[in-house]
Amino acid sequence: MTTTPPSPLPTAPDDRAILVLNSGSSSVKFALFDAAQPRSRRYRGVITRIGLGNSQLRVSDAADRVLLEATEAIADHRAALERVLGICASLGPGARVIAAGHRVVHGGERSVPMPVDPPLLASLQQLEALAPLHQVHNLAGIHALATARPGLFQVACFDTAFHHTLPRLSTLTALPRRLSEQGIRGYGFHGLSYEYVRSALRENGVAVAAERIIVAHLGNGASMCALRDGQSIATSMGFSTLSGLVMGSRCGDLDPGILLYLQQRLGFGPDDLQRLLYAESGLLGVSGLSRNMEDLLARPDLATAVEAVELFCYRARTELAALTASLGGLDRIVFTAGIGANSPEIRERICAGLDYLGVRVDPQRNQSGERVISDRSSVVTVEAFATDEESMIARHVCRLLANPTTS
């Protein structure tokens, strides 16, 4: 594996592309961006159900026209990445991959994306226990691509990096100091999403450095981040991707005494706890129906589904209010990710109890999908728009292609 990038990018667009990958436990999401214009997405695709015998493959172009949709047998991540590269080769102009960028959930103390080399990979593997649902699969994608395309320039982009500006008090636990010295501290996640939102606000003319902003990344994984001077100063996720808000199948904040009780009285072992906290809790656990918010909103007749939605909104509202304490007030809320950007009902429910902060949502704007959804009388500006972590990764790869020593 090499960290030497290809020759400098040309000044005029050509067929060279940056491949962006997000590898999960049984899926690989991918996108191709113009290497000379990294905001320009040319193709995107996803392979799901890897290793289950009936993998689903879908590829579309920049206009979201479906180019390929198929069911295939794809055994593992290596086979999936080989299939992705084969698809890229078949797409023709604009799809010659010269570099790849990967979403890596945990980067430890690293504050910037980095070119991948063996020492970095070895270090990132040591962090797998801190993000067991994500890290091992993120790294599997890197390993698989290195096998399929030895020498390809790869970049690891960390979800934790954005939060390196957290004040020390925001990272401390109240456990003995010796444990903090071993890396048990708050890190924060969803950083690529928050970085994109910050850039999108700036491009839309918002004086980010002058405002007190809370970004709500609400999806299957959910967190919030407080921005002051454009930097992360507090966030709901801490040491792991379990903490903070109620999520699709993750519990969010939990009294640690419950874990002791489960171990000591009910005989839960480490594997039992991990499965419970990551895969059986959250919206799924409370509703007994689904981790998908759309499914729950479609069942107002089912009391457990209604309660799961109410709990999600209650915890989001109280977390948002708590983050205002770190900011000393509030000027702007941004809702993003799958639920935040696409569910007017959830946005309205969360904001409904925040009148005392000067938060007022305009029902018509909210339902019609406008970017700014706050009422004109609202003291706090409320926005909702989609995040784009893939675009953020492509920009980082392009920057390192041009100057690999800046990592």
Side-chain angles (χ1 to χ4, degrees):
M1 186 177 297
T2 180
T3 59
T4 304
S7 56
L9 295 175
T11 55
D14 65 0
D15 68 336
R16 303 203 285 181
I18 293 169
L19 175 62
V20 172
L21 292 163
N22 186 351
S23 300
S25 59
S26 61
S27 68
V28 172
K29 296 178 183 178
F30 61 96
L32 281 169
F33 288 80
D34 186 330
Q37 300 179 44
R39 295 168 188 251
S40 176
R41 182 185 286 99
R42 291 170 168 172
Y43 304 98
R44 75 186 331 156
V46 62
I47 300 175
T48 59
R49 299 182 61 81
I50 294 170
L52 300 178
N54 59 340
S55 302
Q56 305 297 308
L57 171 63
R58 189 178 191 274
V59 182
S60 56
D61 64 12
D64 208 27
R65 293 184 294 255
V66 177
L67 305 178
L68 174 63
E69 203 159 21
T71 300
E72 302 178 6
I74 298 176
D76 52 27
H77 281 78
R78 178 176 176 178
L81 267 295
E82 289 174 347
R83 187 70 177 97
V84 168
L85 291 172
I87 291 168
C88 294
S90 71
L91 290 173
R96 182 165 64 89
V97 176
I98 63 164
H102 299 261
R103 179 195 179 204
V104 177
V105 165
H106 215 303
E109 302 287 345
R110 296 169 184 84
S111 62
V112 293
M114 299 184 70
V116 174
D117 60 16
L120 176 64
L121 269 179
S123 177
L124 295 176
Q125 286 172 334
Q126 299 301 311
L127 300 172
E128 287 178 1
L130 304 189
L133 284 192
H134 303 87
Q135 193 84 349
V136 64
H137 307 301
N138 299 158
L139 301 185
I142 295 176
H143 286 296
L145 190 56
T147 300
R149 283 283 299 273
L152 182 69
F153 185 65
Q154 298 194 66
V155 175
C157 299
F158 311 115
D159 260 329
T160 50
F162 183 77
H163 301 290
H164 78 283
T165 56
L166 287 172
R168 177 168 170 76
L169 288 180
S170 290
T171 70
L172 287 177
T173 71
L175 294 172
R177 190 171 294 272
R178 66 178 183 278
L179 295 176
S180 298
E181 293 168 354
Q182 295 176 40
I184 297 180
R185 45 151 290 191
Y187 291 96
F189 298 89
H190 292 136
L192 291 164
S193 175
Y194 294 131
E195 187 177 12
Y196 174 81
V197 168
R198 181 179 64 182
S199 71
L201 289 173
R202 286 172 172 164
E203 290 168 6
N204 203 43
V206 175
V208 171
E211 291 196 8
R212 298 161 296 183
I213 301 170
I214 292 176
V215 183
H217 176 106
L218 305 180
N220 184 53
S223 69
M224 291 185 183
C225 180
L227 301 180
R228 188 170 61 205
D229 298 325
Q231 297 184 326
S232 172
I233 64 161
T235 185
S236 62
M237 277 186 177
F239 173 70
S240 75
T241 58
L242 277 174
S243 58
L245 307 175
V246 172
M247 296 171 243
S249 62
R250 283 173 264 173
C251 58
D253 282 347
L254 191 69
D255 181 343
I258 294 173
L259 303 182
L260 294 174
Y261 181 86
L262 293 175
Q263 288 179 305
Q264 296 168 356
R265 296 299 181 92
L266 300 184
F268 276 63
D271 292 341
D272 301 319
L273 288 174
Q274 179 167 304
R275 184 169 56 254
L276 174 73
L277 301 178
Y278 280 99
E280 298 176 350
S281 299
L283 294 174
L284 174 62
V286 177
S287 71
L289 174 67
S290 174
R291 68 180 188 178
N292 185 282
M293 182 62 78
E294 286 184 343
D295 294 344
L296 302 184
L297 289 173
R299 292 297 306 273
D301 59 312
L302 183 63
T304 57
V306 171
E307 192 168 57
V309 174
E310 289 176 345
L311 179 62
F312 179 92
C313 295
Y314 169 74
R315 293 276 287 273
R317 184 164 55 250
T318 55
E319 183 67 44
L320 194 155
L323 286 173
T324 65
S326 66
L327 292 169
L330 183 62
D331 299 306
R332 187 178 303 266
I333 301 170
V334 179
F335 288 99
T336 194
I339 298 171
N342 299 305
S343 180
E345 182 173 347
I346 296 302
R347 295 193 298 260
E348 184 174 358
R349 288 196 193 190
I350 292 172
C351 292
L354 299 175
D355 288 18
Y356 72 98
L357 291 175
V359 177
R360 295 184 181 85
V361 169
D362 183 306
Q364 185 173 350
R365 285 180 167 183
N366 187 34
Q367 288 292 334
S368 64
E370 293 184 34
R371 178 172 173 138
V372 175
I373 63 172
S374 45
D375 186 88
R376 287 179 173 81
S377 66
S378 181
V379 175
V380 176
T381 302
V382 185
E383 296 190 50
F385 56 86
T387 191
D388 193 347
E389 294 147 302
E390 292 175 347
S391 170
M392 209 69 243
I393 292 171
R395 293 184 217 178
H396 285 307
V397 174
C398 191
R399 175 179 59 81
L400 286 171
L401 278 169
N403 187 1
T405 62
T406 60
S407 63

